[in-house]
Amino acid sequence: MAVYATILGNEHYAFSDLKHVLAVASHRRSGDDLAGLSAQSDAERVAARYVLADLPLKLFLNEVVVPYEEDEVTRLIIDSHDKIAFAPVAHLTVGELRDWLLAADAKALSAVSRGLTPEMVAAVSKLMRNQDLISVARKCRVTTAFRNTLGLQGRLGTRLQPNHPTDDVRGIAASVLDGLLFGVGDAVIGINPATDNIPNAIALMEMLDEVRQQYDIPAQTCVLTHVTNAIEIMNRGAPLDLVFQSIAGSQAANRSFGIDLAVLRESYEAGLALKRGTVGNNFMYFETGQGAALSANAHHGVDQQTMETRAYAVARAFDPLLVNTVVGFIGPEYLYDGKQIIRAGLEDHFCAKLLGLPMGCDVCYTNHAEADQDDMDDLMTLLTVAGATFLIAVPGSDDIMLNYQSLSFHDVLYLRETLGVKAAPEFETWLDRMGIAGPDGRIRELELNDPRMSRLLSNASLVA
């Protein structure tokens, strides 16, 4: 294994292998500190970045950070690498790739996407300022569709997350109504069930599907149950739109989630046969987050941001409708404060979009992190400028089931008003038809005695 070294000032710095360079070059975060992978000083971090900038991209195809023989994610990355797509940048170093990305247009970025490995993309992100991450990600256009079209320029999708601590159908339905009246829910109306079993998931799916059909909502619904439950639910003929699963960047980490590539493939093939989409048939939904592999002791000595980016290789193998990082959800053990959460969110979005994924974000933090809602305001604004596919919103920004802080429906209104981003076109047309929003996308004020409000309240599942 090669040793990478440089002299910075009067000091000599040496790094034992590629994953050591990647780890030390990373921006500071508590998860890497916890794993003993961080730079010992700012000078060492800068030295690692000098080394990283001069590494040829071809090196990443020959020196893997997790052994090929031991890890099916590594095998997926190497075996699916597109040499033709790689050709335009094959002669570049990591530093030169940064310059190329900043100068490239959307067409060139799309063409090269399948030629880049997650490790290449993670590496170049470590050399980029926040504005670089935003600038390049904004040019990456990834469009997907199911009952509406997501990822179009000038659009920001939203996940309506109506979680309830006891999965009470009436409570969930009230939150769904609340979100719809704010124009939220085009990306997905998605419930994290408090109790994850098949009968409960089916009951929630049937309620969501009833509401969707009652109002002819051009959106998709999802109960975020385990993928093995989803397979059985599809076999039983329940109204499942999206197949959901949390994923990570190593075989061992995915095993801790109770999955492997084979079971994801089985769920993908089952979902294809349903053909429930109306304008497209992207139906997989994946969630990721920096620190997942470390928390499962399945990181193989790889820094958490590189390991997170490897999860995107798993996601793109299944043509998902949606992917999002739950950037601050795991806690301060992995992302300590607002500064680390903001940087991680921009990194995750950049890396995923560059790899060709429809990337969104749960802009969130736990109550014991050194972060607050001002940090979330900053991150949601930056991600919207960067062209995020969608963001997640909950009533009042407080998820009363998962006990963490996210974005509110009002935050979505701020983003739409301030940055001029609109909902998916099919959903926007529906909002106008229902009297919720005008042709300009602005939400209308509805009184309780307004006939349009009565129409929304008429559904039995919402008033039972």
Side-chain angles (χ1 to χ4, degrees):
M1 194 70 70
V3 174
Y4 306 100
T6 191
I7 296 174
L8 188 64
N10 296 320
E11 295 293 327
H12 181 271
Y13 294 92
F15 307 97
S16 58
D17 53 23
L18 177 59
K19 68 181 180 182
H20 188 194
V21 177
L22 289 167
V24 178
S26 294
H27 283 66
R28 175 78 182 273
R29 57 211 50 191
S30 53
D32 290 338
D33 292 345
L34 183 67
L37 300 174
S38 298
Q40 297 302 300
S41 66
D42 288 337
E44 186 185 30
R45 182 174 290 110
V46 171
R49 290 178 185 171
Y50 270 107
V51 170
L52 185 61
D54 289 337
L55 294 182
L57 293 179
K58 288 181 179 177
L59 172 72
F60 290 80
L61 299 174
N62 298 316
E63 184 177 345
V64 297
V65 297
V66 181
Y68 182 93
E69 298 78 14
E70 298 177 16
D71 188 84
E72 66 175 0
V73 177
T74 299
R75 294 194 290 275
L76 173 67
I77 291 167
I78 297 301
D79 295 349
S80 64
H81 180 248
D82 188 331
K83 294 180 176 60
I84 295 174
F86 183 54
V89 297
H91 61 290
L92 300 180
T93 64
V94 175
E96 290 169 339
L97 176 63
R98 172 188 174 273
D99 297 338
W100 186 91
L101 292 171
L102 289 168
D105 60 18
K107 184 177 180 181
L109 292 172
S110 178
V112 81
S113 177
R114 292 280 174 172
L116 299 175
T117 69
E119 291 85 354
M120 293 176 193
V121 172
V124 75
S125 75
K126 298 176 193 296
L127 305 181
M128 301 176 85
R129 292 171 56 186
N130 285 1
Q131 68 171 253
D132 297 338
L133 299 175
I134 293 168
S135 176
V136 176
R138 184 173 177 82
K139 295 185 289 184
C140 295
R141 224 12 83 189
V142 182
T143 305
T144 58
F146 190 75
R147 290 199 184 92
N148 56 45
T149 308
L150 300 169
L152 296 170
Q153 191 163 5
R155 307 277 175 173
L156 173 68
T158 51
R159 173 180 159 190
L160 200 174
Q161 183 167 296
N163 294 345
H164 192 279
T166 63
D167 288 336
D168 180 76
V169 173
R170 292 176 64 202
I172 291 171
S175 294
V176 170
L177 173 60
D178 189 17
L180 290 173
L181 290 173
F182 280 96
V184 172
D186 54 338
V188 63
I189 303 171
I191 303 169
N192 296 93
T195 302
D196 189 12
N197 60 53
I198 291 170
N200 188 57
I202 290 176
L204 295 176
M205 285 177 192
E206 290 176 341
M207 182 274 290
L208 290 178
D209 199 57
E210 179 186 352
V211 173
R212 181 190 65 79
Q213 291 191 64
Q214 175 76 16
Y215 302 118
D216 193 27
I217 305 173
Q220 34 285 334
T221 65
C222 184
V223 175
L224 282 67
T225 189
H226 193 269
V227 66
T228 54
N229 288 348
I231 292 170
E232 177 58 25
I233 288 167
M234 285 187 278
N235 289 337
R236 296 187 187 186
L240 183 144
D241 283 349
L242 306 187
V243 175
F244 168 82
Q245 184 54 49
S246 295
I247 56 173
S250 73
Q251 179 176 336
N254 283 325
R255 191 182 300 122
S256 75
F257 288 140
I259 63 165
D260 56 22
L261 294 179
V263 75
L264 292 178
R265 217 166 278 120
E266 180 184 356
S267 69
Y268 178 71
E269 291 169 358
L272 275 178
L274 296 181
K275 301 187 187 307
R276 288 177 60 83
T278 55
V279 298
N281 202 32
N282 300 111
F283 59 86
M284 299 294 284
Y285 177 17
F286 296 113
E287 281 192 339
T288 69
Q290 289 193 29
L294 176 57
S295 67
N297 194 28
H299 59 96
H300 296 270
V302 179
D303 69 273
Q304 68 181 38
Q305 190 253 334
T306 300
M307 189 58 72
E308 162 73 6
T309 307
R310 283 168 52 90
Y312 306 154
V314 176
R316 75 174 176 179
F318 299 99
D319 299 320
L321 176 74
L322 303 168
V323 182
N324 70 258
T325 171
V326 282
V327 66
F329 180 73
I330 302 180
E333 300 83 0
Y334 305 96
L335 296 170
Y336 179 73
D337 56 15
K339 184 179 180 66
Q340 292 188 13
I341 291 171
I342 289 169
R343 174 69 193 189
L346 294 176
E347 287 171 347
D348 293 352
H349 178 254
F350 161 83
C351 290
K353 290 293 282 294
L354 187 54
L355 289 168
L357 291 176
M359 192 64 168
C361 185
D362 189 353
V363 177
C364 62
Y365 64 100
T366 59
N367 287 309
H368 62 310
E370 291 295 321
D372 58 29
Q373 214 63 39
D374 286 337
D375 297 312
M376 301 304 101
D377 287 350
D378 293 345
L379 181 53
M380 72 179 181
T381 304
L382 293 171
L383 284 170
T384 304
V385 172
T389 300
F390 74 106
L391 299 176
I392 292 177
V394 304
S397 77
D398 183 10
D399 191 305
I400 59 173
M401 193 279 283
L402 291 173
N403 292 309
Y404 76 114
Q405 307 305 308
S406 186
L407 302 184
S408 72
F409 304 146
H410 297 80
D411 291 329
V412 175
L413 294 189
Y414 150 76
L415 294 170
R416 298 208 187 288
E417 291 277 342
T418 305
L419 299 176
V421 288
K422 298 182 178 181
E426 300 88 348
F427 193 77
E428 184 181 36
T429 299
W430 178 82
L431 291 173
D432 184 27
R433 187 171 76 245
M434 295 297 293
I436 296 172
D440 59 358
R442 293 175 64 91
I443 299 298
R444 293 169 173 155
E445 292 186 15
L446 299 180
E447 301 295 335
L448 283 176
N449 60 356
D450 190 304
R452 295 167 296 181
M453 175 67 82
S454 300
R455 289 173 61 197
L456 286 169
L457 290 172
S458 64
N459 188 283
S461 66
L462 295 180
V463 297

